[in-house]
Amino acid sequence: MFEIKIKRAYEAADETDGIRILIDRLWPRGISKDKLQIVSWEKDLAPSADLRKWFDHDPEKFDEFSRKYRQELEENERSDEFLAECRKWLENQNLTFVYAAKDEEHNNALVLREWVKAQI
């Protein structure tokens, strides 16, 4: 099985990324679809607007944000289908979750990657 990577939307795509999926609810500012090189935009799996606003990228809230976001993922109707797609993609290539947040240590991509890894 290949690996799940995470990468900021503002970093250049490369051949090791494999399948690139935007996992934010909002499109990254100033980035064209061509430059982003994504296969899918999974905005329905992104944290809810209320959770995103509550978190406000505050590192002190990250643990609670992670718990609440995982709960949203568990309750999301799209989750099972997304996990099946991830399993399929990872049989042949890497999978890269693309996100826009500046903070590389406290973001939804990290939570989603760990949640997916625990499920598959």
Side-chain angles (χ1 to χ4, degrees), residues 17-32:
D17 288 346
I19 300 284
R20 291 172 51 93
I21 300 170
L22 179 61
I23 50 110
D24 288 343
R25 191 166 298 275
L26 304 174
W27 192 265
R29 291 183 186 183
I31 302 285
S32 70

Side-chain angles (χ1 to χ4, degrees), residues 1-4 79-80 82-91 95 97 112-120:
M1 184 180 287
F2 289 81
E3 69 178 312
I4 301 173
S79 291
D80 288 341
F82 179 70
L83 289 169
E85 290 170 352
C86 289
R87 281 185 201 97
K88 183 178 177 184
W89 288 325
L90 287 166
E91 289 174 2
L95 179 58
F97 294 155
L112 182 61
R113 178 177 63 182
E114 294 310 309
W115 181 80
V116 169
K117 287 169 69 173
Q119 305 296 316
I120 58 173

Side-chain angles (χ1 to χ4, degrees), residues 66-114:
S66 298
R67 187 189 67 73
K68 290 179 177 184
Y69 180 35
R70 284 190 302 270
Q71 182 177 350
E72 286 186 353
L73 289 166
E74 291 292 333
E75 296 169 359
N76 191 313
E77 294 176 3
R78 172 85 174 99
S79 291
D80 288 341
E81 185 179 351
F82 179 70
L83 289 169
E85 290 170 352
C86 289
R87 281 185 201 97
K88 183 178 177 184
W89 288 325
L90 287 166
E91 289 174 2
N92 301 309
Q93 58 198 316
N94 289 331
L95 179 58
T96 299
F97 294 155
V98 179
Y99 70 100
K102 291 180 184 177
D103 188 337
E104 295 182 15
E105 296 178 19
H106 306 95
N107 60 66
N108 62 304
L110 292 166
V111 178
L112 182 61
R113 178 177 63 182
E114 294 310 309

